Amino acid sequence: MAALLGGTGVATGGLIAGAFSLLKGRQENATQERKHQLDENSRHRDVRRDIYAQFLKKAGQVSELEAKRLHDAEQRVTLREIRRAGNVEHKEYTDQYAAPLQDATGELIGLAFLVELEGPERLVPLAQSVVVVHREVQEIIQKNRAAHGPGVGEAYRQELQDAERARVFRERDFIQAARSTLQPGIG
């Protein structure tokens, strides 16, 4: 009987030790899983942060090129005529910033697509609205240059001011939403 009780005690002890070992293993697995999930969330947040920063930096470059294109006064003489009253020169304004602006806008659109891929979904319309407002500004600049040349023609002054104000607000909205997305536990 003592042997039976001894064997039962050993078996019970083994079961208890096995149960504790199993629980400890599960706890370690859960801890590792949580750590892995935190690391993964941190990496995803870093990727998002980089994309958002690139998007905003490119939007700033587009704004800078828009301003340069608006005020670019470089001219070239396209035709010289001699009239009785004297020498008359016809001048055409070069548009040295048009191509770089178009390239930068294309890159901005590409970065907006990356924002769409990385999310979250609530940032997508905000990124798209930043692209749209830059396109609106560029259309106004194009009309202004066609009608007035460089600088701001009186006919387009208010329209440009409104578009610039809208650009600032849309970029600010994107920044605020991106900031809340990048906060730990959000997004």
Side-chain angles (χ1 to χ4, degrees):
M1 183 81 164
L4 184 61
L5 284 175
T8 305
V10 169
T12 304
L15 285 173
I16 291 173
F20 280 124
S21 180
L22 181 64
L23 287 174
K24 184 177 180 186
R26 285 186 180 178
Q27 184 180 20
E28 286 175 0
N29 285 343
T31 301
Q32 287 176 346
E33 182 62 33
R34 277 192 302 273
K35 184 180 182 309
H36 175 73
Q37 188 64 40
L38 288 172
D39 290 346
E40 189 63 31
N41 288 346
S42 178
R43 274 193 295 278
H44 193 209
R45 196 169 32 254
D46 289 344
V47 167
R48 282 180 170 175
R49 181 181 298 114
D50 290 345
I51 290 171
Y52 301 163
Q54 289 174 33
F55 178 76
L56 290 167
K57 182 178 180 182
K58 188 55 68 178
Q61 290 173 345
V62 169
S63 292
E64 185 177 312
L65 287 167
E66 288 166 350
K68 286 179 178 179
R69 184 168 186 231
L70 178 64
H71 298 290
D72 180 26
E74 190 173 314
Q75 302 173 354
R76 68 172 184 252
V77 176
T78 59
L79 177 66
R80 282 200 170 115
E81 295 179 3
I82 299 177
R83 295 191 180 166
R84 278 188 228 182
N87 217 3
V88 176
E89 293 181 344
H90 294 274
K91 296 180 181 178
E92 179 181 286
Y93 293 98
T94 62
D95 204 349
Q96 65 181 337
Y97 295 106
L101 178 57
Q102 185 176 4
D103 293 344
T105 302
E107 292 171 17
L108 182 65
I109 291 167
L111 288 165
F113 283 125
L114 286 178
V115 169
E116 186 172 347
L117 289 173
E118 284 300 321
E121 197 171 307
R122 63 189 168 88
L123 249 63
V124 174
L126 296 172
Q128 290 170 345
S129 72
V130 169
V131 171
V132 167
V133 78
H134 277 287
R135 287 262 172 106
E136 291 169 356
V137 168
Q138 291 169 31
E139 287 173 13
I140 297 166
I141 290 170
Q142 182 61 35
K143 291 188 303 187
N144 180 77
R145 283 186 69 86
H148 177 269
V152 181
E154 202 53 47
Y156 297 100
R157 184 174 308 281
Q158 187 62 47
E159 193 176 0
L160 271 168
Q161 287 174 347
D162 293 345
E164 273 298 306
R165 191 174 303 111
R167 180 194 59 78
V168 168
F169 288 136
R170 289 180 185 170
E171 287 178 359
R172 186 179 307 148
D173 291 345
F174 179 84
I175 290 168
Q176 289 173 345
R179 183 178 293 134
S180 72
T181 296
L182 295 173
Q183 296 300 316
I186 300 175

